[in-house]
Amino acid sequence: MSDPFDGAERSLGQLVASATAEMSALVHDEIALAKAEIRQDVKRGAMGSAAGLGAGVVLLFSLPMLSFALAYGINTWTGGHNGDGGWNLAWCFLLSFAANVLLAALLAVFAVAKFKKVKKPEKSISSAKQTAAIMQNVKPHPRPAADAAPLALDKAPSVARSSA
């Protein structure tokens, strides 16, 4: 940035160019801050989404396979493999279903906990509010009286454009 007290009077074009460059830098910095905050919250949201999707996939795809395996395993564990009969096979299937629902509920609780940690970009919002408050209080430079002769455009000093 240029020094406003460099000892030389700056022209209107130079002042406008300087203000434009500083406003552009400010807007770019605020956008970068918003991106950084949103990127962090997107990661949290993605983790919660993955956990919720995992809960749905476990509940949907594991029910047929795991339910049969678990039910027959419970029946075997309770004595069904040696001819004593063991537990009724219907109770074994009900117990395997309950285990799958419990696993899905635990994954859903994890997903909800991750979603609750997602926040709005508070730093970006407060920075934008501060900038808006400052910009509302800015007063325009006093203009010369209407009877004063306007400065010819061809005699006005040119301002070099910066690429920064």
Side-chain angles (χ1 to χ4, degrees), residues 25-49:
L26 178 65
V27 168
H28 285 290
D29 289 344
E30 286 186 5
I31 290 172
L33 176 63
K35 282 182 181 180
E37 286 183 321
I38 290 172
R39 188 177 300 122
Q40 184 179 17
D41 285 338
V42 164
K43 286 180 184 178
R44 288 183 185 141
M47 291 270 299
S49 296

Side-chain angles (χ1 to χ4, degrees), residues 55 58-59 62-63 94-108:
V58 166
L59 185 61
S62 73
L63 284 177
L94 187 62
L95 187 59
S96 71
F97 174 74
N100 287 329
V101 169
L102 179 66
L103 178 62
L106 289 175
L107 287 173

Side-chain angles (χ1 to χ4, degrees), residues 42-128:
V42 164
K43 286 180 184 178
R44 288 183 185 141
M47 291 270 299
S49 296
L53 185 62
V57 167
V58 166
L59 185 61
L60 185 66
F61 290 122
S62 73
L63 284 177
M65 295 181 293
L66 292 178
S67 294
F68 278 97
L70 188 58
Y72 282 112
I74 292 170
N75 184 271
T76 301
W77 181 64
T78 58
H81 68 288
N82 60 9
D84 292 339
W87 289 359
N88 187 344
L89 201 52
W91 287 109
C92 295
F93 275 103
L94 187 62
L95 187 59
S96 71
F97 174 74
N100 287 329
V101 169
L102 179 66
L103 178 62
L106 289 175
L107 287 173
V109 166
F110 177 74
V112 168
K114 287 295 178 184
F115 281 128
K116 284 187 178 181
K117 288 184 179 180
V118 175
K119 300 175 188 172
K120 59 185 175 182
E122 294 171 3
K123 292 178 184 176
S124 297
I125 291 171
S126 68
S127 175

